[in-house]
């Protein structure tokens, strides 16, 4: 008798992560306010919900010996989300510090996990490497924004405006969330070899072999 299929798999983890990333991207994209308060509130919700998914994955998806990266990622997400979730702390400096630290650490962890998985011929290696690389890229882009950056500009017929560092930073986080949502959504919806059903002929031959 074949073992029952798991109700919660790695594909569900990818799809849930994609869902929360998409929600963050939509909130950033359609918000006219790209202040530190808005950016940190969206970031806090995104990383805390994603961390919850990873905690569930530790117990429901990954076997012993493969759980440590997800525990680390969940703890990093909870720490960043809690820091970003305190309204009195939501300053521009905190946005850059927390998001850069989170992107660097989680990106590095996922990249290491992906590289190790690739050596073991794990089909999920490409996904982890890509997500890790995007995290590191987000950190680099945020680091590259000069402190106190302000660029005045004018739109004919609309008036004069200012492009600031925090607007760029929040916008880059929104762009990162959108890319991750699309990538993980495609990865989660793409059938994996391990998820493919076993042909009836192969099942019958296995059962016949077991009866001999």
């Amino acid at each position: 008798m074949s073992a029952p299929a798991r109700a919660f798999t790695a594909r569900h983890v990818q799809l849930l992560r994609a869902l929360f990333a998409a929600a963050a991207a939509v909130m950033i994209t359609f918000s006219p306010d790209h202040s530190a308060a808005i950016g940190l509130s969206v970031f806090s919700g995104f990383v805390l919900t994603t961390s919850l998914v990873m905690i569930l994955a530790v117990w429901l998806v990954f076997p012993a010996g493969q759980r440590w990266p997800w525990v680390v990622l969940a703890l990093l997400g909870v720490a960043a989300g809690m820091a970003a979730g305190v309204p009195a702390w939501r300053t521009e400096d905190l946005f850059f510090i927390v998001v850069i630290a989170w992107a660097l650490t989680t990106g590095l962890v996922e990249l290491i996990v992906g590289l190790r998985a690739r050596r073991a011929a794990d089909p999920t290696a490409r996904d982890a490497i890509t997500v890790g690389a995007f995290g590191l890229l987000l950190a680099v882009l945020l680091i590259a924004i000069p402190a106190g950056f302000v660029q005045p500009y004018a739109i004919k017929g609309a008036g004069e405006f200012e492009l600031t560092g925090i607007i760029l930073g929040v916008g880059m986080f929104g762009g990162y969330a959108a890319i991750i949502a699309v990538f993980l959504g495609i990865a989660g919806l793409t059938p994996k070899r391990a998820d493919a059903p076993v042909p009836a002929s192969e099942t019958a031959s296995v059962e016949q072999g077991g009866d001999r």
Side-chain angles (χ1 to χ4, degrees), residues 50-194:
T50 302
S51 296
L52 177 60
V53 172
M54 292 179 178
I55 291 171
L56 293 175
V58 167
W59 303 111
L60 301 178
V61 177
F62 301 102
Q66 297 181 15
R67 294 172 175 169
W68 71 265
W70 302 96
V71 173
V72 172
L73 288 171
L75 292 176
L76 290 172
V78 169
M82 294 295 288
V86 180
W89 294 357
R90 289 174 178 171
T91 63
E92 295 184 7
D93 289 340
L94 184 74
F95 175 86
F96 285 99
I97 292 171
V98 170
V99 179
I100 289 172
W102 172 83
L104 277 175
T105 53
T106 58
L108 185 60
V109 171
E110 293 220 51
L111 185 60
I112 292 173
V113 170
L115 292 174
R116 293 182 62 182
R118 187 171 63 179
R119 290 199 296 268
D122 189 326
T124 64
R126 180 178 62 87
D127 301 336
I129 291 173
T130 303
V131 173
F134 277 128
L136 294 176
L137 177 61
L138 173 63
V140 171
L141 291 175
L142 292 178
I143 292 172
I145 298 176
F149 174 82
V150 178
Q151 178 62 55
Y153 67 97
I155 299 178
K156 188 175 181 180
E160 297 183 352
F161 304 91
E162 285 186 345
L163 180 63
T164 63
I166 190 61
I167 292 176
L168 287 174
V170 173
M172 286 179 182
F173 167 66
Y176 160 84
I179 293 172
I180 291 300
V182 172
F183 179 80
L184 288 177
I186 293 173
L189 293 172
T190 301
K192 303 292 191 300
R193 292 183 61 184

